[in-house]
Amino acid sequence: MITLYGMIKAEINDTELNNHLSNINKDDMTVFVMVDGRIRGALFHGTRFVNQMRAQHKLGILETMVLGQASLCSALMIPMMKGREHVCWKYEVDGPVEGFNVEADSTGYVRGYLFQDHIPVDKPLENWDLAPFLGTGNSTVTTFHPGDKAPMVSSVEAVTKNIAKDLAWYYSQSEQISTAFNTSIQLDKQGRVVGAGAMYLQVMPETGGKAKSGSNVTSSSDKMSNEELLENVELAFRAAPSLGQWFSEGGNLEDMICGLFREFKPTIALHRDIIYDCPCSKESYIEKIKAFPKAQIDEIKNTDTGFVEICCRNCASVYKIPVAEI
């Protein structure tokens, strides 16, 4: 159950897009395990999720592709969280995109923004390869746990010029867990987002003893080493069709999981509701303003308009706060 926060939800006013969204499966995340828990993963249908993100920030197509991939990846970090957690992923690169900051919360929401609202483009795009716009830099993940005196911060190089691969590299280097991510956003001829999805897999470290003599172990995948298992799972993972196209055509989550990973005996663990949302509110900003130095508050009180206008960077909600309420 997700609580809708104070974010001012932007309306999607495209009739044709709304008709399409009403005719495909609802957004959903399916979390699954395979090979007796040696592999875990999740598949996320996020078509409405990406459209809401785009509407909030009023993004162009290129900007939608960048922040959309980042937000889809962040959504996949939620089922990896341990208890109550909040994760901030800051991606800083030397390309025209410059980077982004996205956050994911264990309650089920994602929010974020691009460092460059309008990515400069020198010539017409021939494809949606984002590598020329990303460059290299740093990928930093900050994890907040309730009660901790300070968050956990871990940073690695961003070297692949690919958002999903750079997040996988982070997990490999920082968490020492072999992880793969796949994101996909499908556009129609008018540039509408008609399908969006993402998937991750992790091969967990081997633990415990070996199967006892005489036990009924019949699956070849049960006998694989982690290296062999990873190789075989990667082959299946790479065989996935375009997730964006799959969901745009009405494909569902469980058919994709069972079809791709049949030999690894996938088991559905749970479903998660994930939305693009933000806990900002008019009241929270009033409290922040009240903590300003007295000189700054006096300046605000003397404004000619009689109100202060604040735009939330994470969701682009605009709050007009009367000075009388401060």
Side-chain angles (χ1 to χ4, degrees):
M1 184 70 176
I2 294 178
T3 301
L4 291 176
Y5 298 89
M7 182 181 85
I8 300 172
K9 187 175 180 181
E11 295 295 326
I12 299 173
N13 295 316
D14 187 320
T15 302
E16 188 170 336
L17 176 59
N18 282 324
N19 288 338
H20 171 74
L21 294 177
S22 66
N23 287 315
I24 61 175
N25 290 316
K26 72 181 185 70
D27 281 14
D28 191 15
M29 177 181 285
T30 298
V31 181
F32 59 94
V33 295
M34 304 186 292
V35 198
D36 294 327
R38 289 175 66 189
I39 304 172
R40 67 179 180 181
L43 177 60
F44 177 40
H45 173 205
T47 304
R48 293 165 187 80
F49 171 92
V50 172
N51 273 290
Q52 190 63 54
M53 174 212 75
R54 185 181 193 180
Q56 291 298 134
H57 291 284
K58 298 180 175 61
L59 297 178
I61 296 176
L62 178 58
E63 291 79 8
T64 298
M65 297 297 285
V66 175
L67 189 57
Q69 288 191 26
S71 298
L72 288 167
C73 280
S74 294
L76 293 174
M77 298 168 80
I78 292 175
M80 302 184 209
M81 295 180 182
K82 302 176 180 68
R84 185 72 174 88
E85 284 189 354
H86 186 88
V87 170
C88 177
W89 177 25
K90 189 175 185 180
Y91 188 85
E92 301 170 287
V93 289
D94 56 13
V97 167
E98 295 186 10
F100 53 76
N101 190 89
V102 288
E103 299 177 35
D105 192 86
S106 58
T107 58
Y109 75 82
V110 175
R111 65 178 187 172
Y113 59 90
L114 294 170
F115 296 157
Q116 185 65 263
D117 291 333
H118 301 286
I119 301 169
V121 179
D122 296 330
K123 59 182 179 179
L125 301 181
E126 298 178 357
N127 54 54
W128 293 115
D129 177 16
L130 299 180
F133 301 97
L134 294 175
T136 58
N138 292 294
S139 180
T140 303
V141 174
T142 304
T143 304
F144 301 84
H145 296 94
D148 284 1
K149 293 182 179 179
M152 295 174 54
V153 182
S154 181
S155 184
V156 300
E157 288 185 302
V159 295
T160 70
K161 298 183 181 181
N162 181 292
I163 293 170
K165 289 182 179 178
D166 273 335
L167 186 57
W169 176 247
Y170 163 79
Y171 277 97
S172 172
Q173 296 300 300
S174 182
E175 307 288 338
Q176 301 295 305
I177 302 176
S178 297
T179 309
F181 291 90
N182 177 4
T183 62
S184 175
I185 298 174
Q186 181 75 17
L187 304 172
D188 67 6
K189 293 181 180 179
Q190 286 71 42
R192 302 183 184 94
V193 175
V194 293
M199 176 168 55
Y200 92 91
L201 290 181
Q202 284 186 333
V203 178
M204 306 307 295
E206 291 183 281
T207 58
K210 296 183 178 180
K212 295 180 180 179
S213 176
S215 62
N216 295 321
V217 180
T218 58
S219 172
S220 60
S221 61
D222 292 338
K223 302 176 183 178
M224 294 180 188
S225 66
N226 260 20
E227 291 74 17
E228 293 172 319
L229 187 60
L230 180 59
E231 182 179 349
N232 281 273
V233 170
E234 281 183 339
L235 290 174
F237 186 81
R238 291 173 185 169
S242 164
L243 299 178
Q245 182 176 352
W246 173 264
F247 292 124
S248 75
E249 296 174 352
N252 68 52
L253 294 159
E254 295 190 14
D255 284 350
M256 173 70 76
I257 294 167
C258 294
L260 279 177
F261 306 116
R262 184 179 296 107
E263 68 175 293
F264 305 106
K265 299 180 180 179
T267 300
I268 304 302
L270 57 93
H271 290 266
R272 288 291 311 265
D273 290 328
I274 307 294
I275 59 175
Y276 195 87
D277 200 4
C278 182
C280 66
S281 67
K282 174 183 172 183
E283 292 72 22
S284 67
Y285 281 117
I286 289 175
E287 292 305 312
K288 290 178 181 178
I289 293 172
K290 287 180 178 179
F292 286 178
K294 184 179 183 302
Q296 195 169 355
I297 293 178
D298 289 341
E299 184 179 343
I300 290 172
K301 287 180 178 179
N302 293 324
T303 180
D304 294 335
T305 61
F307 64 84
V308 178
E309 186 171 288
I310 297 177
C311 179
C312 176
R313 190 68 192 271
N314 287 293
C315 69
S317 295
V318 177
Y319 297 96
K320 291 187 176 181
I321 303 172
V323 171
E325 295 185 27
I326 298 174

